[in-house]
Amino acid sequence: MGQDNGLVAFARSQAQVLDPRAWLIVMGASWREADPAGCAAAMAAGDPLALCNALGFGDQALESEVLSAGRTVFARRAGGLDYYESSQSALSVLRPELAPELPPGDAGYEVAYWTRIESRAVRVRVGRNVRGLSNLQALPDPGSEGTPTAPAKARFATAALAVGDGAAGLLLPGLSDGAWWAMDLRVVMQDGTLLTTRLAKDDAGWFVLEATRTKLAQRLEAERDRRLEVVRRSAADLLRSAGRWPKRPSDLSLRPVDWADPAAPAGRRGWSDHYSPVKPGIELLTPAHDDDPAVQCTQAGPQGHRAITRAGNLVWHLP
């Protein structure tokens, strides 16, 4: 799966142009128990083994997946007892078209499929980047939910038709047979655009549950605005409880990352959140009225400082 020589250099090159959320997809680890701070430390140290572990590709995780994927005896619990049944292994559903080639313009993708083997739910996850396969899992998924219902949604004969432009050029399989019943697709383009599509299938065909398309700047700015609101709300709570507006960050019980601005150059596309110490990029002001800026980003842009008023309205502030 590409976890060999050159992994650290590739990870560093992608971290220079992507935020951690998109980066994890390209690295094949968006569904794994990844540790972004550990990934950042491993990249800084140039340690490929530590990077694999931080991404969730450690020996223990991979051995568990391999052993579970090949099992042909499964337990089913009913009435407080375990019953054991035999059927095909999860590996039996794997086929090449589930991992389509990466088209030009895409940095990487991950896709999860759900199917049934003799009424038993199985989940397949695959990923690709420019180096090749980045993730491959086929595991029993007894905890998966049944097919969601969405009467108002348009139906399509195949999953590929339902995804449409959300596939960003991927030649997805049709999955028109009855066993396949859900798909979750995440595609990262080379400019940092992230496309996510969730699909499900019922007797009438495939339909879209959710589809989003966000640019890198949009994600960073949305997170910046969310943190401004977090600081403002905490300060407003102190005003209500103690009758005073906070004078310094230490007056509030917030994490250092809550004071960081991922959209600023110092935020490094959100990666500065995972380095210690975290560089603050948000500061408190002293508002006299509800319409006054209460919290603002220290880094000014063409429109001024991004700020939020004491009443909770996001504004651009020119000091």
Side-chain angles (χ1 to χ4, degrees):
M1 292 187 295
Q3 315 298 345
D4 52 12
N5 293 334
L7 177 65
V8 172
F10 175 72
R12 286 171 174 168
S13 68
Q14 296 303 302
Q16 291 173 358
V17 295
L18 297 174
D19 59 321
R21 180 184 176 188
W23 181 84
L24 285 173
I25 296 171
V26 172
M27 299 302 296
S30 67
W31 280 302
R32 291 184 173 272
E33 294 184 8
D35 174 16
C39 292
M43 286 190 287
D47 188 338
L49 179 60
L51 180 57
C52 283
N53 289 328
L55 284 168
F57 290 101
D59 290 345
Q60 183 176 0
L62 294 181
E63 287 171 3
S64 175
E65 291 169 15
V66 171
L67 292 172
S68 298
R71 288 171 50 199
T72 57
V73 177
F74 300 89
R76 186 187 300 276
R77 191 163 183 83
L81 298 174
D82 286 332
Y83 297 87
Y84 292 90
E85 303 177 20
S86 178
S87 72
Q88 290 180 301
S89 70
L91 286 173
S92 64
V93 303
L94 289 179
R95 54 184 195 249
E97 56 264 33
L98 297 178
E101 294 293 331
L102 190 71
D106 290 356
Y109 72 82
E110 280 198 283
V111 58
Y113 307 92
W114 283 265
T115 187
R116 293 184 179 89
I117 301 178
E118 301 174 9
S119 78
R120 184 171 292 110
V122 171
R123 183 193 67 229
V124 177
R125 288 175 178 165
V126 297
R128 275 191 184 274
N129 54 38
V130 296
R131 287 162 54 86
L133 279 175
S134 61
N135 193 16
L136 180 62
Q137 295 175 311
L139 299 172
D141 192 14
S144 61
E145 300 177 358
T147 303
T149 58
K153 298 286 187 177
R155 265 40 176 197
F156 299 86
T158 67
L161 290 173
V163 174
D165 293 340
L170 288 176
L171 297 177
L172 292 170
L175 306 181
S176 56
D177 60 83
W180 300 94
W181 58 274
M183 178 195 292
D184 190 337
L185 175 66
R186 305 172 181 183
V187 184
V188 178
M189 305 184 73
Q190 290 180 357
D191 64 357
T193 300
L194 171 59
L195 295 82
T196 62
T197 309
R198 293 179 57 237
L199 304 175
K201 183 170 73 69
D202 57 17
D203 293 339
W206 286 92
F207 55 93
V208 178
L209 290 170
E210 179 185 357
T212 62
R213 183 187 186 105
T214 59
K215 294 183 179 296
L216 173 61
Q218 289 177 312
R219 297 193 297 276
L220 297 177
E221 291 165 2
E223 177 61 18
R224 172 202 63 197
D225 290 350
R226 187 194 69 82
R227 294 180 186 183
L228 287 171
E229 170 61 13
V230 166
V231 177
R232 183 206 68 85
R233 191 183 297 274
S234 182
D237 289 343
L238 182 64
L239 179 62
R240 283 191 295 270
S241 62
R244 66 178 181 86
W245 188 262
K247 295 181 179 180
R248 57 189 68 86
S250 59
D251 291 339
L252 304 177
S253 299
L254 294 174
R255 305 170 302 164
V257 72
D258 292 324
W259 297 94
D261 177 7
R268 298 173 59 182
R269 299 163 303 282
W271 281 102
S272 65
D273 294 355
H274 306 296
Y275 288 91
S276 183
V278 178
K279 295 181 180 180
I282 294 174
E283 62 182 354
L284 284 164
L285 302 177
T286 53
H289 307 285
D290 284 348
D291 292 337
D292 293 341
V295 184
Q296 74 171 12
C297 295
T298 57
Q299 178 72 38
Q303 297 172 278
H305 295 268
R306 187 60 165 172
I308 190 168
T309 66
R310 195 172 72 177
N313 299 314
L314 289 163
V315 298
W316 291 101
H317 174 52
L318 292 172

